[in-house]
Amino acid sequence: MKIFFFTIFAVVCFSSLAQITPFEKSAGKASATYFEVIDWYRQLDKKFASIQMKEMGATDAAYPLHLVMLSSNADFNPANWRAKNKTIILVNNGIHPGEPDGIDASMMLVRDLATNKIKLPENVVLAFIPVYNIGGCLNRNAYTRANQNGPLEYGFRGNSQNLDLNRDFTKNDSREAKSFAQIFHYLKPDIFIDNHVSDGADYQHTMTLITTQYEKLGGELGEWLKSTFEPAIYKTMAAKGWDLIPYVDFESSDFDKGIKMFYDTPRYSSGYTALFQTLSFVPETHMLKPYKERVRSTYDLMVSFIELGSKYNVDIKTQRKKAMAAVMQQYSFPLSWQLDTTASTQIVFKGYESAFSESNATGLQKMYFDHNKPFTRNIKYYNSFKGVNSVTMPWAYIIPHGWYPVVDLLKLNGVVVDELKRDTLIRVNSYRITEYKSSARPYEKHHRNTGVKYETIQDHVKFLKGDFLIFMNQPSNRYIVEMLEPDGDDSFFSWNFFDAILQQKEGYSDYRWEDIAADILKTDKTLFVKLEEKKASDSNFAKNSHAILDFIYKNSAYAEKAFMRYPVYRQEVIALKQNKVTRAQ
């Protein structure tokens, strides 16, 4: 009787102290609701000095975004963490609430760290966003993840604006993205983890992992990640019983052709955070594995990151510091990356053979993965990228008044923005957009601009007092370049921030312009010769009076200067030397 009473007492005490998650109560079948998650962390915050939860910005759902921080000495000041060279790990959960594995795994992990079931190393601090997409988490159902095996209920991919928040890290259409930027630059994490669930082929592995491109992180940091830290992750997960492999992104349905590394442009969380030399990872559990296994593998992977963040603390700090210093000295930046199909390594892939049978749904042939025919093979993994479309960094960018959304986002991301002290004539290079394509269908609220081509114009431009001046001597140089150069993968121009310049505001009537155009040709001999050459080389043009008048207009002083002229100006280093322009402007 005493033994039975002690057992009951122990269980009650443990439940009171440690708390039991909805996931655990359901034997691994259920996921916590948004309100259960927030209440869970509030209770932990009250009980444990090592935990602090705070509100960190707004969301489209009208609920605040929360940040949960863990520090073994109850110091929750990120500036102190950095001063003491602690490894700072930021974990994001529920960006796609239909993929709640990280939400439930983090609840258990934070509790286990607080109760010392797992020891939090002295040189590591943790921060968790419990639920990022709150609107999607509140939109709870059991059907929208048709490919997925559990949990019983889950949230929806779109947020309160029906945005996919993992496409919003540069355009910032959501309040969540703006709040995330505040959190990210507040913490300045060394390691970033964004927990997900995959779609796609069927295979034996429970956990896959996206590691951001090594080359994007730069030189030594990228090489160290590739040669040391990433292999250590795989090794520690294997020791925990998980055959971790890279995210399964096949070149084709033929497994033997290999897997290619995921290309995470800055619109994605890991692509965005990598712009600031943060080691960035996206765990992707396999959709068809039982929910209990997926959550446990996510838990174990986060533990592995904590262990390795402690073990490699000095290396992480040293390599990141060198990478950040190198970016401030870097002169040329690739705006895009291409997979190097000539370089690959070998990985062990555990899959299932594909087969065909009659479909009970359509009565036709269907493809399926035969679990009675598992296989283990060495396959190629393409994980090298080449930088393309490189651009040289100017001494400074200048943005005139009016483009406040762009300037506000630059400031939000830690960019130091100065203002001209007086009206100033400055020699600059600028771009005139000559070609672009806008998508026919909307993508995340935008008709994106791609295939951008431009000509460079060198000119003296009068800028006004208060126009924005961005000097390129900042830790955020890579972010600045990729966002302000119009042909960057996820630049502000690509996301339509500057579309107003693509519409001509003034024009002319042919009957009126005829006489003016004739007078211009009499005085502008250079334009006259240029027009005659154009007629000689293009017979259709020579027969089109409207085209001829338009040609004269566009090459005359009457042409609208703002039309197609990209309103981000480059003050080049050469111009600086010639004009002796100083920061004291």
Side-chain angles (χ1 to χ4, degrees):
M1 176 65 79
K2 290 182 179 180
I3 294 175
F4 176 76
F5 175 78
F6 177 79
T7 301
I8 295 296
F9 178 76
V11 169
V12 171
C13 287
F14 178 80
S15 299
S16 175
L17 178 66
Q19 303 175 218
I20 304 298
T21 68
F23 169 83
E24 292 167 310
K25 291 177 182 177
S26 67
K29 296 179 181 179
S31 178
T33 67
Y34 169 72
F35 297 108
E36 287 172 333
V37 173
I38 299 306
D39 183 63
W40 173 271
Y41 286 111
R42 283 201 182 106
Q43 295 302 318
L44 288 177
D45 185 6
K46 291 177 183 177
K47 293 177 183 177
F48 299 99
S50 60
I51 296 177
Q52 183 183 89
M53 183 169 77
K54 59 192 301 185
E55 295 181 3
M56 289 290 289
T59 71
D60 289 342
Y63 290 94
L65 202 61
H66 286 89
L67 184 68
V68 176
M69 297 183 287
L70 279 84
S71 173
S72 57
N73 65 355
D75 180 359
F76 300 105
N77 186 335
N80 293 340
W81 297 346
R82 292 189 289 274
K84 295 176 182 178
N85 287 318
K86 292 180 181 283
T87 301
I88 303 172
I89 301 176
L90 171 61
V91 179
N92 190 37
N93 291 311
I95 194 169
H96 296 152
E99 308 167 19
D101 305 26
I103 293 174
D104 292 304
S106 293
M107 292 170 70
M108 295 187 295
L109 179 59
V110 173
R111 176 200 63 201
D112 292 348
L113 288 164
T115 58
N116 286 317
K117 181 179 179 180
I118 296 175
K119 180 69 175 177
L120 179 63
E122 291 290 332
N123 60 354
V124 174
V125 287
L126 300 174
F128 293 81
I129 298 175
V131 179
Y132 182 57
N133 181 354
I134 298 171
C137 196
L138 295 173
N139 188 4
R140 199 168 169 89
N141 72 98
Y143 303 103
T144 50
R145 295 286 292 182
N147 290 338
Q148 194 167 284
N149 181 14
L152 297 174
E153 289 186 341
Y154 39 75
F156 181 66
R157 190 179 189 90
N159 85 330
S160 296
Q161 289 192 61
N162 204 33
L163 289 170
D164 185 334
L165 294 183
N166 202 27
R167 310 292 187 271
D168 198 37
F169 285 91
T170 58
K171 60 187 178 71
N172 282 238
D173 284 327
S174 66
R175 291 180 177 180
E176 287 89 341
K178 293 182 176 68
S179 296
F180 181 90
Q182 292 177 318
I183 290 171
F184 180 77
H185 293 289
Y186 169 70
L187 295 172
K188 295 180 172 59
D190 301 294
I191 297 172
F192 172 70
I193 304 163
D194 193 0
N195 288 312
H196 283 250
V197 180
S198 73
D199 281 315
D202 192 6
Y203 42 81
Q204 300 176 48
H205 305 273
T206 298
M207 173 65 77
T208 70
L209 183 66
I210 294 173
T211 301
T212 200
Q213 291 103 301
Y214 320 114
E215 296 83 3
K216 182 187 295 184
L217 287 171
E220 293 185 36
L221 178 61
E223 283 300 317
W224 179 81
L225 171 62
K226 184 177 184 178
S227 65
T228 303
F229 192 75
E230 188 183 39
I233 297 170
Y234 282 71
K235 184 177 180 180
T236 56
M237 283 295 281
K240 292 178 173 65
W242 303 105
D243 291 324
L244 180 64
I245 60 164
Y247 176 70
V248 179
D249 192 2
F250 288 102
E251 279 288 343
S252 70
S253 59
D254 185 354
F255 294 159
D256 293 330
K257 291 188 177 180
I259 298 174
K260 60 181 180 180
M261 192 177 197
F262 184 78
Y263 181 35
D264 55 344
T265 63
R267 78 188 66 169
Y268 302 107
S269 64
S270 57
Y272 164 80
T273 54
L275 292 178
F276 303 92
Q277 295 77 56
T278 294
L279 302 173
S280 304
F281 304 90
V282 178
E284 295 263 8
T285 57
H286 187 256
M287 59 185 180
L288 293 178
K289 299 300 181 289
Y291 189 57
K292 186 175 183 179
E293 291 181 19
R294 292 177 5 224
V295 171
R296 292 308 307 183
S297 68
T298 303
Y299 179 104
D300 285 343
L301 182 58
M302 289 190 289
V303 171
S304 296
F305 277 112
I306 294 170
E307 295 169 348
L308 296 174
S310 176
K311 178 180 177 179
Y312 291 107
N313 166 265
V314 174
D315 287 342
I316 291 170
K317 291 297 187 180
T318 301
Q319 293 292 347
R320 288 196 69 230
K321 189 175 294 184
K322 288 195 294 186
M324 287 186 276
V327 164
M328 292 182 67
Q329 300 299 320
Q330 190 172 337
Y331 184 60
S332 178
F333 289 88
L335 296 178
S336 300
W337 301 86
Q338 285 183 350
L339 188 70
D340 185 353
T341 56
T342 67
S344 66
T345 185
Q346 294 283 320
I347 64 169
V348 177
F349 177 65
K350 297 182 177 181
Y352 300 109
E353 298 287 358
S354 59
F356 292 87
S357 66
E358 183 178 318
S359 167
N360 291 328
T362 67
L364 304 174
Q365 286 287 293
K366 69 171 184 178
M367 189 278 288
Y368 70 99
F369 293 96
D370 191 345
H371 283 214
N372 293 318
K373 295 181 179 179
F375 67 79
T376 300
R377 295 178 195 160
N378 288 326
I379 64 172
K380 290 181 179 180
Y381 177 46
Y382 298 93
N383 64 343
S384 294
F385 285 82
K386 296 178 180 179
V388 295
N389 192 22
S390 292
V391 64
T392 56
M393 184 181 70
W395 183 67
Y397 288 103
I398 305 175
I399 304 177
H401 276 96
W403 304 101
Y404 300 111
V406 166
V407 174
D408 289 345
L409 289 181
L410 291 170
K411 291 178 179 178
L412 181 66
N413 282 279
V415 177
V416 177
V417 180
D418 293 326
E419 295 184 11
L420 289 175
K421 305 304 181 189
R422 60 179 181 272
D423 293 0
T424 311
L425 187 68
I426 304 176
R427 182 185 178 188
V428 291
N429 282 352
S430 63
Y431 302 138
R432 185 174 299 282
I433 305 299
T434 58
E435 187 177 327
Y436 68 95
K437 298 176 182 177
S438 288
S439 57
R441 299 181 63 183
Y443 174 75
E444 295 300 317
K445 279 180 64 174
H446 294 256
H447 291 263
R448 295 191 65 238
N449 297 324
T450 59
V452 180
K453 295 182 181 179
Y454 53 80
E455 61 182 9
T456 301
I457 304 167
Q458 189 176 90
D459 199 2
H460 284 84
V461 175
K462 183 178 180 181
F463 294 97
L464 303 179
K465 177 183 176 181
D467 282 348
F468 302 104
L469 187 62
I470 301 158
F471 293 99
M472 297 304 292
N473 58 350
Q474 307 191 34
S476 52
N477 275 357
R478 178 180 288 280
Y479 169 82
I480 297 170
V481 170
E482 293 205 25
M483 297 310 300
L484 291 185
E485 291 295 325
D487 45 344
D489 278 337
D490 281 318
S491 69
F492 290 129
F493 182 80
S494 77
W495 287 109
N496 311 122
F497 281 77
F498 295 109
D499 273 14
I501 68 163
L502 304 178
Q503 180 185 4
Q504 188 170 330
K505 300 300 187 293
E506 300 283 5
Y508 58 85
S509 298
D510 283 9
Y511 78 90
R512 168 62 178 153
W513 179 243
E514 288 272 4
D515 294 336
I516 300 174
D519 289 338
I520 290 172
L521 291 176
K522 290 176 183 178
T523 57
D524 190 338
K525 299 303 180 184
T526 301
L527 177 53
F528 177 81
V529 172
K530 188 176 180 180
L531 176 61
E532 292 303 310
E533 290 175 348
K534 176 70 173 173
K535 288 179 179 179
S537 64
D538 188 341
S539 59
N540 290 329
F541 172 82
K543 299 174 185 177
N544 188 330
S545 62
H546 183 76
I548 294 171
L549 290 174
D550 192 57
F551 182 89
I552 299 170
Y553 177 80
K554 288 179 178 177
N555 286 277
S556 74
Y558 288 85
E560 185 178 319
K561 290 186 177 181
F563 179 49
M564 304 297 277
R565 188 162 184 174
Y566 187 57
V568 177
Y569 298 82
R570 294 168 51 100
Q571 187 171 18
E572 309 292 355
V573 175
I574 295 174
L576 166 67
K577 291 178 179 177
Q578 291 177 348
N579 292 329
K580 297 182 180 179
V581 180
T582 68
R583 193 181 177 94
Q585 290 173 318

